[in-house]
Amino acid sequence: MERKVKVGLIQYQIKPDWAENVAKVEKLLELVKDGGADLAILPEMFICPYELDLFPRFAEPIPNGRTCEILSGWAANLNLHIVGGSLPERDERGNLYNTATLWDNQGNLLAAHRKIHLFDVDLPGGVSFHESALLTPGQKITVLEILGMRLGIAVCYDIRFPELFRLMALAGADFVALPGAFNNVSGPAHWELSLRGRAVENTIYIAGVSGLAPPDSSYQSWGHSMMVDPFGQVPLHLGQTEGFGVVEVDPERIKDIRARLPLLKQRRVDLYDLRLLKS
Amino acid sequence: MERKVKVGLIQYQIKPDWAENVAKVEKLLELVKDGGADLAILPEMFICPYELDLFPRFAEPIPNGRTCEILSGWAANLNLHIVGGSLPERDERGNLYNTATLWDNQGNLLAAHRKIHLFDVDLPGGVSFHESALLTPGQKITVLEILGMRLGIAVCYDIRFPELFRLMALAGADFVALPGAFNNVSGPAHWELSLRGRAVENTIYIAGVSGLAPPDSSYQSWGHSMMVDPFGQVPLHLGQTEGFGVVEVDPERIKDIRARLPLLKQRRVDLYDLRLLKS
């Protein structure tokens, strides 16, 4: 990683109305751009409420759908790299995915990360969700070069799996953008824990970016979008209200922490082996 | 795992005087036995201060040393399983290890876990420690059957490495005993985070058990011994004072959390592979 990158995190109430969400995001993108952001990150399912029965209704092809068209235009017009949170993708065979897109500041699609680990849980307190009833899981990890850094992309439940984040770090990731939507049970129990844990064990930055749900929604997203640094500190934390913030990913901080706490070098690769089977 | 197991955690100030430590531990073991413990866990380097230059002075062979003799006697006399924290082991070739021993309630040595990941750091705030200057790392993971459960043993810095804990969980561990000694920098930053993170991602219990240091010691152990459950909750937390507590490892809790949050089954073993190279 060559230089500091300014990252904008965006958190807002996601409505069942596509155009209303689009209008809201546009304003927030202008604000993070004003704040100096090089890269903006939107929440998981940023144009449609996080409700299983709404995914097919909002699903669209990538990149030839209305939401990708809007994302590409924002990126080019604002001269801003954007992780287009995620959206329900429908491929040519009719399969649905929970897919995060990455756009460069000229409006080109650089990557589409399909959520690898689908969210199938029955949490204490009555929160049940079964993405696999409807969605197809992704088949590859996503780490690529932009803005002089190695950016990893993962979606929500992907954070639960240390193997994925270790493989991203070993592929050189300096920073992982994680659109997510934990809930009022898993959120207080595990959201910050998971983000900080993965960041520290891999000495990387992670931004977890979540939307909020209207009060009458069946699924209450936890919000609490935050940036976590390679020592597990939290320079930005948005709580559970609408808001945004711009914070730096600093290569000197990564270098300093890795010199002090060289975890990636101290792995016992003579005792255990972790490898990617497909790429 | 067949039934509940009561686990005693023991935390005290570890002095440079072997006999003084032994007398303290004996009283605390009697107290956790009175509290109904089936298994007691002692801190890392439980008979010698956590200072590199003291390790050779306190080092002894396993099982034919004075500390193992004492541990075996306590286990048999108290009818108590004991994880003998760790002690500086000297093998027949003169190599030194940071080794945790496990004793059954008849005083038999069941296992000796040599710390796999040595503690070599230069933390912000001036805490530097380099175990590898003196110690040899362990070459195997430790998971075995006692008291109707699968018990894993790891030592302190081992907690930093998700690969090790995942491999223990995949080897069936219900519970991991982790004698440790984080410090006043890594402790507040990462001790609870690491224990809770590893417990949740593997849906297992973990007990982190640390000693305390006298105020004039060069290395200030963080204490804060705690039991963490498979959902990341903390039923026992000893703070930074001398003390003990007895808490349950409950197979029903593990079963319930794994049914709700089936993380171990949701690993994408078609995409990545984690394996042990030696055993």
Side-chain angles (χ1 to χ4, degrees), chain A residues 258-276:
Chain A
R258 289 185 177 183
R260 296 174 178 284
L261 192 65
L263 295 169
L264 291 176
K265 288 185 188 162
Q266 292 168 327
R267 300 171 65 236
R268 289 294 305 275
V269 293
D270 58 325
L271 286 192
Y272 45 72
D273 182 45
L274 172 64
R275 70 179 54 189
L276 197 60

Side-chain angles (χ1 to χ4, degrees), chain A residues 115-126 137-140 157 160-164 166-167 185-186 188-190 192-193 196-198 200-201 231-232 256-257 259-263 266-278, chain B residues 115-126 137-140 157 160-164 166-167 185-186 188-190 192-193 196-198 200-201 231-232 256-257 259-263 266-278:
Chain A
K115 189 177 189 172
I116 290 175
H117 300 89
L118 297 180
F119 180 51
D120 290 349
V121 302
D122 296 284
L123 294 174
Q139 299 298 335
K140 61 181 189 60
Y157 205 62
R160 296 277 193 181
F161 298 85
E163 293 90 342
L164 174 62
R166 184 65 101 204
L167 287 166
V185 176
S186 64
H190 301 152
E192 182 167 346
L193 176 71
R196 292 185 58 227
R198 297 283 165 260
V200 170
E201 73 203 21
F231 202 64
D256 179 55
I257 295 302
R260 296 174 178 284
L261 192 65
L263 295 169
Q266 292 168 327
R267 300 171 65 236
R268 289 294 305 275
V269 293
D270 58 325
L271 286 192
Y272 45 72
D273 182 45
L274 172 64
R275 70 179 54 189
L276 197 60
L277 300 176
K278 310 178 189 176
Chain B
K115 188 177 191 174
I116 290 174
H117 300 89
L118 296 180
F119 180 50
D120 290 347
V121 303
D122 296 281
L123 294 174
Q139 299 298 335
K140 62 182 188 62
Y157 204 63
R160 296 279 192 180
F161 298 85
E163 292 90 343
L164 173 62
R166 183 66 102 203
L167 287 166
V185 175
S186 64
H190 301 153
E192 182 167 347
L193 177 72
R196 294 184 58 227
R198 297 284 165 259
V200 170
E201 73 202 21
F231 202 64
D256 179 55
I257 296 301
R260 296 174 178 284
L261 191 64
L263 294 169
Q266 291 168 328
R267 301 171 64 237
R268 290 293 305 277
V269 293
D270 58 326
L271 286 192
Y272 44 73
D273 182 45
L274 172 65
R275 70 180 52 190
L276 197 60
L277 300 176
K278 310 178 189 176

Side-chain angles (χ1 to χ4, degrees), chain A residues 147-188:
Chain A
L147 292 162
M149 68 176 170
R150 298 279 294 170
L151 170 72
I153 301 177
V155 177
C156 200
Y157 205 62
D158 283 336
I159 192 82
R160 296 277 193 181
F161 298 85
E163 293 90 342
L164 174 62
F165 278 71
R166 184 65 101 204
L167 287 166
M168 287 196 283
L170 295 176
D174 301 294
F175 169 53
V176 175
L178 184 99
F182 275 41
N183 55 67
N184 281 344
V185 176
S186 64

Side-chain angles (χ1 to χ4, degrees), chain A residues 5-254:
Chain A
V5 174
K6 287 194 161 187
V7 180
L9 282 64
I10 286 177
Q11 176 169 297
Y12 56 95
Q13 205 179 81
I14 298 168
K15 300 283 178 59
D17 181 317
W18 183 85
E20 197 178 336
N21 294 324
V22 161
K24 174 71 68 84
V25 172
E26 185 163 290
K27 278 185 207 141
L28 286 160
L29 284 172
E30 287 166 3
L31 289 166
V32 300
K33 177 67 186 180
D34 289 347
D38 304 302
L39 168 68
I41 305 174
L42 304 177
E44 185 175 18
M45 293 295 175
F46 81 100
I47 39 87
C48 114
Y50 193 73
E51 295 178 23
L52 212 52
D53 56 341
L54 293 180
F55 293 171
R57 246 174 66 196
F58 280 79
E60 55 185 281
I62 292 176
N64 300 312
R66 59 179 178 172
T67 305
C68 285
E69 190 180 344
I70 287 272
L71 281 164
S72 174
W74 284 333
N77 295 335
L78 291 168
N79 183 28
L80 183 64
H81 293 73
I82 301 175
V83 173
S86 75
L87 56 89
E89 175 192 3
R90 179 180 284 113
D91 75 6
E92 62 284 358
R93 280 180 281 182
N95 291 330
L96 297 177
Y97 305 87
N98 184 338
T99 305
T101 54
L102 172 68
W103 305 84
D104 73 13
N105 60 348
Q106 284 152 41
N108 302 305
L109 181 66
L110 299 187
H113 175 81
R114 291 168 168 168
K115 189 177 189 172
I116 290 175
H117 300 89
L118 297 180
F119 180 51
D120 290 349
V121 302
D122 296 284
L123 294 174
V127 176
S128 285
F129 210 95
H130 293 273
E131 279 189 331
S132 68
L134 200 66
L135 301 186
T136 301
Q139 299 298 335
K140 61 181 189 60
I141 77 165
T142 303
V143 179
L144 72 171
E145 195 89 18
I146 65 159
L147 292 162
M149 68 176 170
R150 298 279 294 170
L151 170 72
I153 301 177
V155 177
C156 200
Y157 205 62
D158 283 336
I159 192 82
R160 296 277 193 181
F161 298 85
E163 293 90 342
L164 174 62
F165 278 71
R166 184 65 101 204
L167 287 166
M168 287 196 283
L170 295 176
D174 301 294
F175 169 53
V176 175
L178 184 99
F182 275 41
N183 55 67
N184 281 344
V185 176
S186 64
H190 301 152
W191 171 245
E192 182 167 346
L193 176 71
S194 303
L195 294 168
R196 292 185 58 227
R198 297 283 165 260
V200 170
E201 73 203 21
N202 293 300
T203 52
I204 57 174
Y205 283 87
I206 303 179
V209 181
S210 168
L212 302 169
D216 58 347
S217 288
S218 66
Y219 187 91
Q220 288 296 315
S221 295
W222 176 239
H224 291 83
S225 298
M226 67 183 77
M227 177 69 93
V228 182
D229 85 3
F231 202 64
Q233 293 181 344
V234 181
L236 176 72
H237 190 303
L238 293 178
Q240 210 170 18
T241 58
E242 295 201 333
F244 69 94
V246 177
V247 281
E248 283 176 352
V249 169
D250 180 355
E252 291 303 315
R253 175 81 173 154
I254 298 174

